[in-house]
Amino acid sequence: IKLKPDFALAHYHLARCYLFDLAFDKAKQELETALSLDSDLSAAKYRLNIINKSVGLHPIPLQVIEEDYDNLSYQYEDYVATQLKYEAPRLLVQKIAEYFRKSEIDTEDLLALDLGCGTGLVGAYLRQIVAIKSLSGVDISRNMLDLAKELEINNEVVYDYIEERDF
């Protein structure tokens, strides 16, 4: 900002830093500056609306989703699974396995797609409970996918294929 005070993205990212520090007044000022320099910054508009408590039913800009999940990725599993005791991935896979058992479907030839795979919580449970041929993961967050790529069960990778994409 010192080198190029009219660089809207610099003000936007400084506002994000202020938001992480819960300095809402400073964040608001930087977001307003960013928008005065570039009125098309939808992520800045969205974050400013949150501060002003006027979000309503507007869609969340893709940039906001990518940024927030990328920033959260390395704490996600510990926070969600451990601290919040989030059981949805395990329960979901149990229901899937139960369905296959009741339907007497042979799962060993199935190709599975995990949309919004994140760090791979569902994929890890799926590989442990259901015998499938191949598992692909899709997510919008590069950082989450980097973690999912490294995920292994019994020294075998969980995902056979991973792609960064807005599903």
Side-chain angles (χ1 to χ4, degrees), residues 30-104:
E30 292 300 326
L31 289 168
E32 288 170 346
T33 300
L35 286 168
S36 72
L37 296 168
D38 183 354
S39 61
D40 292 331
L41 278 176
S42 61
K45 287 178 192 175
Y46 180 80
R47 292 187 193 281
L48 186 59
N49 284 337
I50 288 176
I51 292 171
N52 291 332
K53 297 179 179 145
S54 61
V55 174
L57 295 175
H58 304 290
I60 301 172
L62 191 57
Q63 179 183 353
V64 171
I65 296 168
E66 289 172 342
E67 290 168 352
D68 289 353
Y69 277 95
D70 275 348
N71 289 329
L72 180 64
S73 61
Y74 296 102
Q75 296 86 24
Y76 182 79
E77 281 189 43
D78 178 58
Y79 178 70
V80 170
T82 307
Q83 294 180 31
L84 294 180
K85 300 185 185 338
Y86 185 60
E87 292 288 315
R90 185 182 57 76
L91 296 172
L92 174 65
V93 171
Q94 284 178 344
K95 289 293 182 185
I96 291 169
E98 184 180 307
Y99 168 78
F100 286 138
R101 277 193 299 276
K102 284 181 181 177
S103 304
E104 298 180 6

